[in-house]
Amino acid sequence: MSLPTEGRPIATAVDLDITLRAPVAEDGPAVTALIANCPPLDPNSAYCNLLQCSHFADTAIAATAADGQLLGFISGYRIPARPDTLFVWQVAVSSAARGQGLGRRMLRGLIERLHGDGIRFVETTITADNDASWALFRGFARSVGADIAESTQFDRERHFNGQHASEQLLRIGPITGPLNAPT
């Protein structure tokens, strides 16, 4: 991901023509750079990001500017034992596009694409201090009129040996209403 250099104005998502699309393997390096610049996201290996952009492209979405710059990325996968459930792994939005609703647009676009293919629930895990993610997913649930259930998925001591904050599971659904309404 390249950001404008000093002296040039920063383009915002409002200024940019944004395309939402399934990722391709060639997006892997840009995804790796984007995630590295989006704390508090946990970094993944470059290989993991390549797999997300290729093997899991059907359950991921990329947002690019007209010049091809990657502005946002959501990775996810169907939970094997529950194929009606999309687990959203990470949501990353470039600093140049934050505050413009791009995360919401990407999430809605991804769910619209998968809803006709049987996705009725969305799950994700969020640490208690990630206010942006809480707002994104709670807002999405409200916009589609879906229930939210919250529980601890991975406990700091039990699962992370005290090395990572607890991850709270959000389960949204069932998603039954129209998804083409504005958010």
Side-chain angles (χ1 to χ4, degrees):
M1 174 182 76
S2 62
L3 296 176
T5 59
E6 188 175 332
R8 287 195 286 167
I10 295 175
T12 65
V14 170
D15 303 327
L16 301 172
D17 179 21
I18 296 175
T19 300
L20 300 180
R21 61 170 174 75
V24 294
E26 290 75 12
D27 291 322
V31 168
T32 299
L34 176 65
I35 291 170
N37 286 307
C38 290
L41 293 181
D42 290 328
N44 304 314
S45 71
Y47 187 72
C48 174
N49 292 328
L50 284 171
L51 292 174
Q52 291 173 344
C53 292
S54 56
H55 291 187
F56 297 97
D58 290 345
T59 54
I61 193 164
T64 56
D67 66 0
Q69 178 185 12
L70 183 70
L71 296 174
F73 182 73
I74 294 179
S75 58
Y77 57 88
R78 287 180 187 263
I79 296 176
R82 293 179 280 126
D84 66 343
T85 303
L86 174 71
F87 183 84
V88 174
W89 184 346
Q90 287 183 317
V91 178
V93 176
S94 164
S95 61
R98 289 187 193 138
Q100 308 294 320
L102 182 57
R104 182 179 62 242
R105 280 183 58 194
M106 289 189 304
L107 182 59
R108 188 171 207 88
L110 179 59
I111 302 306
E112 284 176 3
R113 180 170 17 118
L114 296 171
H115 191 253
D117 196 26
I119 292 293
R120 297 180 51 240
F121 296 90
V122 174
E123 292 185 1
T124 193
T125 61
I126 307 173
T127 56
D129 62 348
N130 191 335
D131 295 333
S133 288
W134 286 104
L136 171 65
F137 285 97
R138 286 177 174 153
F140 173 75
R142 277 192 308 275
S143 77
V144 297
D147 294 330
I148 299 178
E150 297 177 23
S151 61
T152 300
Q153 175 74 42
F154 299 114
D155 178 75
R156 175 182 178 87
E157 297 306 323
R158 184 171 167 220
H159 298 105
F160 292 116
N161 198 29
Q163 303 300 306
H164 188 286
S166 293
E167 293 275 351
Q168 301 302 311
L169 175 69
L170 254 66
R171 180 169 169 82
I172 300 170
I175 299 168
T176 59
L179 292 173
N180 55 3
T183 56

